[in-house]
Amino acid sequence: MDELVVRGAALVSPDWPGPQEADLLVRAGKIAEIGPRLSAKGRVLDGHGLFLAPGFLDLHVHGGGAGSFGADLQSSCAALAYHHRHGTTGLVASLIPASLEELREAIGSLARLEPPGLLGVALEGPFVSPARAGALPKDFLLPPSPGTFLSLVAGHEGFVRIVAVAPELPGAFALLAEIRRIGAVAAIGHSAAEYVTARKAVEAGASLFLHLFNAMRPFHHREPGPIGAALDTDAFVELIADGHHLHPATVRLVLRAKGLDRLCLVTDAVAGEGPEPARLPDGTLAGSRLTMNRAVQNFLAFTGCSLPEAIRPATLNPARVLGLAGRKGRLAAGLDADLVLFDANLQVQATLIGGEPVYLGDPGRYR
């Protein structure tokens, strides 16, 4: 049986106190063993001088580099490859509101694609608030309707992983029940809800807040709104740590309020590269150009936490959101060999999915 050993890296896992220098053996796509001087009947990836961690998981990404996720498979593959180069081993492709026909086509196309690392799709609408649409096209927003939702996802229920809802809209709670029934994550986003409504939505099963603070009713000390409900419940929250969507102090405040266990770093990335986010002509933020390795690097800089702590919101926590913590998100025997090898500056040197390289920065390290 073909094996791979990653030799001599400093291993970092979100459930360990610090990096541990060791070898990691992969067999049949799974982590088989972790320990000193392991032998392998096959390939070797030289990790000396580098860190090895579980691959990054991105719950909210629209595209990146030269590609965007949707019905155009070439464009979707380009976006996926771009994020592989930055250490992402699993992502949920986020679709913005469009006509129901276009959304069905995009869901079906991505479901048939099945490339490594595509965990499913997220629907960022159409069942969200026009008052907090942000950069979403308002013309395609619809009132929450279980019937419309079920017709939209029919045949691909297991591939739809996250669905955003504004809980203040009529019909929202009936829709939340249907989202949970098909096994998807019900998320609160693009919402003008009052605190009580948002909290009731969490009690009804909504377990995630999309890009906290962005495109939602602002926090007010007499009406905390959805932000207050996010901070005052055990729901998970997404953070776009690019320095534009959130001030570093905001990231620190959320960390203090929520703790590490309920934070998920996301990119909300769109096509393109560079430090500047995408914007509409009026200046409205329309997605980031962030990558997950940069999100982790920024989170380290913003909070001063340790490296194992910084990778937790990019690995184990999103795995927990998706119900995949038994397979992904940490380094342990029996888990998927989805791995990222990076240097002290979080520059990715190799990305592996199921033990197979999907990106090699230095092919000479792999033999």
Side-chain angles (χ1 to χ4, degrees):
M1 182 180 294
D2 192 25
E3 296 178 340
L4 166 72
V5 65
V6 184
R7 181 84 68 200
L11 274 57
V12 184
S13 188
D15 53 340
W16 298 353
Q20 302 178 21
E21 188 169 319
D23 294 348
L24 183 145
L25 179 65
V26 175
R27 183 183 299 123
K30 303 287 185 179
I31 299 172
E33 188 178 353
I34 296 171
R37 297 179 296 279
L38 299 179
S39 61
K41 301 173 184 177
R43 303 159 292 160
V44 174
L45 178 60
D46 180 8
H48 287 91
L50 301 174
F51 296 93
L52 183 72
F56 304 134
L57 302 174
D58 192 351
L59 298 177
H60 192 151
V61 52
H62 300 277
S68 297
F69 293 111
D72 184 332
L73 298 187
Q74 183 176 357
S75 186
S76 295
C77 287
L80 192 62
Y82 175 78
H83 287 287
H84 286 340
R85 295 197 296 274
H86 294 90
T88 297
T89 58
L91 59 79
V92 180
S94 296
L95 304 176
I96 65 170
S99 71
L100 294 179
E101 181 180 354
E102 289 173 314
L103 283 176
R104 277 192 289 265
E105 182 183 5
I107 294 169
S109 296
L110 288 166
R112 289 189 296 272
L113 184 60
E114 294 186 348
L118 179 60
L119 302 177
V121 298
L123 299 178
E124 193 173 359
F127 310 112
V128 296
S129 171
R132 293 293 170 184
L136 299 182
K138 293 182 181 180
D139 290 348
F140 296 111
L141 299 185
L142 297 172
S145 164
T148 301
F149 170 68
L150 292 175
S151 68
L152 175 60
V153 304
H156 301 294
E157 290 87 348
F159 191 66
V160 176
R161 305 305 300 266
I162 300 171
V163 182
V165 179
E168 72 275 15
L169 299 179
F173 281 75
L175 177 57
L176 289 175
E178 288 301 315
I179 293 168
R180 295 188 67 211
R181 188 183 65 79
I182 71 165
V185 175
I188 296 173
H190 292 274
S191 170
E194 295 182 345
Y195 167 83
V196 170
T197 302
R199 186 178 181 98
K200 286 181 177 177
V202 174
E203 293 168 354
S207 57
L208 176 68
F209 284 77
L210 296 193
H211 42 49
L212 190 65
F213 289 93
N214 296 115
M216 59 180 58
R217 181 182 187 143
F219 181 92
H220 188 278
H221 57 286
R222 287 191 292 273
E223 176 43 71
I227 296 168
L231 299 178
D232 196 32
T233 64
D234 65 354
F236 288 91
V237 300
E238 296 180 352
L239 298 179
I240 308 172
D242 64 349
H244 298 280
H245 284 76
L246 298 173
H247 190 281
T250 303
V251 175
R252 291 193 293 273
L253 287 169
V254 175
L255 174 59
R256 290 184 180 185
K258 297 290 291 183
L260 273 172
D261 287 352
R262 296 288 163 172
L263 305 185
C264 293
L265 296 176
V266 299
T267 63
D268 195 16
V270 296
E273 301 183 47
E276 293 299 318
R279 295 182 184 271
L280 298 182
D282 65 0
T284 300
L285 287 167
S288 84
R289 299 286 172 37
L290 193 62
T291 56
M292 286 300 289
N293 64 319
R294 286 288 156 257
V296 172
Q297 185 182 48
N298 289 341
F299 190 74
L300 271 169
F302 294 170
T303 66
C305 64
S306 69
L307 182 57
E309 290 172 332
I311 68 166
R312 186 182 184 95
T315 55
L316 182 56
N317 291 353
R320 291 169 62 204
V321 169
L322 296 174
L324 298 175
R327 290 176 45 200
K328 302 178 186 293
R330 57 193 180 93
L331 300 181
L335 272 64
D336 294 347
D338 297 349
L339 307 166
V340 57
L341 192 67
F342 55 85
D343 65 18
N345 296 315
L346 270 295
Q347 293 288 336
V348 173
Q349 305 300 312
T351 306
L352 291 81
I353 299 179
E356 296 296 328
V358 294
Y359 170 70
L360 289 172
D362 179 5
R365 285 184 173 269
Y366 182 72
R367 60 185 188 276

